[in-house]
Amino acid sequence: SRATTLRRLMLPAASSSDIVLLSAGAGPVLYVASRAAVDALTPTNDPSPLPLALALLMPIAFTAMLASGAGHSEIGIALALASAVAVLALNLGVLLVLSPDEQAPIPAARAWPFVAPAAVLIFLAGFSSHLTFWHAVMLLALGVCVARLWTLGPPGEIIPVATLASRRRLRPIQLLLALALGVVGAWIAFQAIMSADARTREAAGGLVAACVMAPLLVLPVMGTGAIASQNGKMSSVMSTIVGIALLNLCALLPLRILINYGR
């Protein structure tokens, strides 16, 4: 079948690749790709939360979509859910400890409470043991509500989309190079997951993705967030981190479900 052929093409050395070497190689490649995308979209010392969240989501999204396209939907789901937990529990906690005190206004804070209903919706969907088309529709509808609230500033004020998109002119060539490097890093990360899955009967691909690869994929958030927080922009970093979690739950996860239906 087409799915079997695709898996064979994407896993030419799954049985002989060194797992540690692949994992160690995927991390730096994806880190450089993510940082390059951030620099192409928004200044690191004064970031705009939405472009920053999209750039930092790139390693997670590319790896999850690659796994889903290859027929390993459990890896795509594990990466989307585990990275949402890791970015909130690991990155946010460490950056709050490292950042200086500030009393700056927090952009897009109105969208933050939607993390809870998105998580509850996925938790309830888990009782059916699989994610359906209607689960994807509900998560996407929730994502539309989040996007609407994200554009709201203070009461009665709407933030222009151009302001949300970027605070400086886009660097298209650098962004294209970052995307290409992200694809390469995602392929290496996927190979590492499948190599670990092929070499042991105790750790399935989804477990390796959730416990090992997801924390690795959110490491760029730590480096970029530390630079921004040291420049007094921790409020933007907090909105970015929550935005990454919401994009995982309300965009990446339903998209992965729809890809499975398409296959």
Side-chain angles (χ1 to χ4, degrees):
S1 66
R2 292 182 179 179
T4 303
T5 304
L6 181 60
R7 284 195 290 269
R8 289 176 179 175
L9 289 174
M10 298 183 68
L11 297 172
S15 60
S16 60
S17 299
D18 190 291
I19 301 171
V20 176
L21 181 61
L22 286 170
S23 300
V29 173
L30 290 172
Y31 185 87
V32 172
S34 181
R35 286 297 302 273
V38 169
D39 188 58
L41 293 175
T42 184
T44 308
N45 58 348
D46 186 19
S48 181
L50 181 58
L52 185 59
L54 291 173
L56 293 174
L57 182 71
M58 180 184 64
I60 306 166
F62 281 9
T63 309
M65 302 305 289
L66 187 64
S68 298
H72 294 276
S73 57
E74 74 284 359
I75 295 177
I77 293 175
L79 287 175
L81 296 179
S83 57
V85 174
V87 77
L88 288 172
L90 174 63
N91 293 56
L92 183 57
V94 172
L95 290 174
L96 283 173
V97 172
L98 296 178
S99 65
D101 295 334
E102 64 168 330
Q103 299 296 327
I106 299 177
R110 296 186 181 189
W112 291 15
F114 279 81
V115 174
V120 170
L121 178 59
I122 296 170
F123 174 75
L124 294 176
F127 285 104
S128 64
S129 74
H130 62 280
L131 296 172
T132 67
F133 174 81
W134 293 111
H135 294 143
V137 170
M138 288 186 287
L139 287 170
L140 287 173
L142 188 62
V144 171
C145 297
V146 171
R148 179 69 181 94
L149 286 177
W150 196 281
T151 61
L152 292 178
E157 178 184 349
I158 298 180
I159 305 174
V161 176
T163 303
L164 284 171
S166 181
R167 295 183 182 179
R168 69 178 181 186
R169 192 170 69 175
L170 178 69
R171 298 179 177 178
I173 296 178
Q174 181 175 336
L175 180 60
L176 290 175
L177 291 174
L179 294 175
L181 196 59
V183 171
V184 174
W187 184 82
I188 298 174
F190 179 61
Q191 291 281 1
I193 295 172
M194 296 311 300
S195 293
D197 184 38
R199 289 195 181 187
T200 176
R201 298 179 180 272
E202 299 176 359
L207 181 61
V208 175
C211 298
V212 178
M213 197 54 63
L216 183 67
L217 293 177
V218 299
L219 281 181
V221 182
M222 192 78 71
T224 305
I227 296 174
S229 63
Q230 292 302 315
N231 284 276
K233 300 299 179 181
M234 186 58 195
S235 56
S236 295
V237 174
M238 293 173 67
S239 286
T240 297
I241 288 175
V242 176
I244 293 172
L246 287 170
L247 285 170
N248 266 308
L249 300 179
C250 300
L252 180 58
L253 185 60
L255 186 58
R256 196 224 59 78
I257 298 172
L258 295 177
I259 286 179
N260 192 50
Y261 273 89
R263 291 183 66 257

